[in-house]
Amino acid sequence: METDLSPKLAKKVYGGDGGAYYAWCPEELPMLRQGNIGAAKLALEKNGFALPRYSDSAKVAYVLQGSGVAGVVLPEKEEKVVAIKKGDAIALPFGVVTWWYNKEDTELVVLFLGDTKTGHKAGSFTDFYLTGSNGIFTGFTTEFASRAWNLEESVVKTLVESQTAEGIVKLDAGFKLPEPRSEHRNGLALNCEEAPLDVDIKDGGKVVVLNTKNLPLVGEVGFGADLVRIYGHSMCSPGFSCDSALQVTYIIRGSGRAQIVGVDGKRVLETTVKAGNLFIVPRFFVVSKIADADGLDWFSIVTTPDPIFTHMAGRTSVWKALSPEVLQASFKVSPEVEQQFRSKRTAEEIFFPPN
């Protein structure tokens, strides 16, 4: 049976007054399990606080909406408290403890994409909470916790049992969490909407690539990412990852059409994509997108820290590298047709504005 590659929306896993946690299910999006990819979203209302937790998977967090504060504790390091806003990307290696807080009226929404090959469930993140009704220490006896923390058992019971919520809580309006420090952002977070552009095509589109050069922690999580915007009716050149990586794409804004072509030239997906959709391009399959009138923005991870792509159109495409005689023989066309083909798309572009 063929794998279903159609885009899917996330489903709510848990939540309450402070916000909710959503995830994509590998039963509905089989490529998650096949590719060992996890995908989830955290949405916090005003004063929503996501309790401290760590995960079984390395991730990249991307702020889709709003602003807030994130606490990050790398293994055997001190807590870093970072102001976050729309466009921020944070690399989260294994063993990192995080918490998230929104003190603004606008909902804070954070996307998580990551690698689950070492996780408990292929295609799903498993989070381990430090506190709350499902916190780690609810499973230990008071004797064990008392000895570990060097506290009276009565104090341990207060610590472990007072927080009855699961995962997300709503704090009182006057509650004060640590203030973010600007120096804590260095090497930890990068705003993709403000970073220097890696590609900027007039009336076509633009790209910021997240890699080991501009965010070194990407090397520890094991995959790169990019933020792409194409303008109304523009096209993203057909291309594929030539280093056997998967492409995991979340549509941030707008809508458009996508096609994926796989083995034996078979079109395996032809669909409309819209904000909130997630879809995955299998290894070596070729994908292309055309934006609707309002344009199309997406955030992707590629399962290698410094991805390499081969494009099938434009001056840097593989067609331009092949000799004329090879193209004539391969297409079985005359030199005139080959020359006409070669003379088009001479600019170094990966986005093509409407004619």
Side-chain angles (χ1 to χ4, degrees), residues 41-48 61-70 82-90 100-111 185 190-194 250 252:
K41 285 196 297 186
L42 174 68
L44 294 179
E45 304 293 339
K46 185 175 183 179
N47 297 320
Y62 182 78
V63 182
L64 297 169
Q65 175 183 300
S67 60
V69 180
V82 181
I84 57 173
K85 64 179 182 179
K86 181 176 178 290
D88 275 347
I90 304 174
W100 310 81
Y101 176 60
N102 179 23
K103 61 181 178 180
E104 306 297 337
D105 292 330
T106 301
E107 187 179 45
L108 172 66
V109 183
V110 183
L111 172 72
R185 282 184 63 90
L190 177 76
N191 191 278
C192 296
E193 295 187 355
E194 299 173 356
Y250 176 84
I252 298 173

Side-chain angles (χ1 to χ4, degrees), residues 42 44 48-54 68-73 78-84 90 92 96-103 108 110 112 129-131 167 171 175-181 184:
L42 174 68
L44 294 179
F49 176 57
L51 298 174
R53 80 280 310 273
Y54 62 93
V69 180
V72 180
V73 183
E78 293 184 354
E79 178 186 58
K80 292 189 175 183
V81 182
V82 181
I84 57 173
I90 304 174
L92 302 173
V96 169
V97 172
T98 63
W99 55 262
W100 310 81
Y101 176 60
N102 179 23
K103 61 181 178 180
L108 172 66
V110 183
F112 299 96
Y129 300 89
L130 272 60
T131 65
L171 301 180
F175 195 90
K176 297 294 184 182
L177 284 171
E179 289 295 322
R181 298 173 60 177
H184 283 178

Side-chain angles (χ1 to χ4, degrees), residues 261-281:
V261 176
V263 179
D264 294 327
K266 183 177 181 180
R267 189 187 314 128
V268 293
L269 181 68
E270 181 171 13
T271 190
T272 297
V273 294
K274 61 183 181 180
N277 281 160
L278 183 90
F279 68 99
I280 301 174
V281 182

Side-chain angles (χ1 to χ4, degrees), residues 103-145:
K103 61 181 178 180
E104 306 297 337
D105 292 330
T106 301
E107 187 179 45
L108 172 66
V109 183
V110 183
L111 172 72
F112 299 96
L113 300 176
D115 185 350
T116 66
K117 65 176 178 289
T118 60
H120 286 263
K121 301 175 184 177
S124 298
F125 298 134
T126 300
D127 288 339
F128 296 83
Y129 300 89
L130 272 60
T131 65
S133 62
N134 57 345
I136 291 294
F137 275 85
T138 60
F140 284 105
T141 62
T142 51
E143 177 196 359
F144 272 62

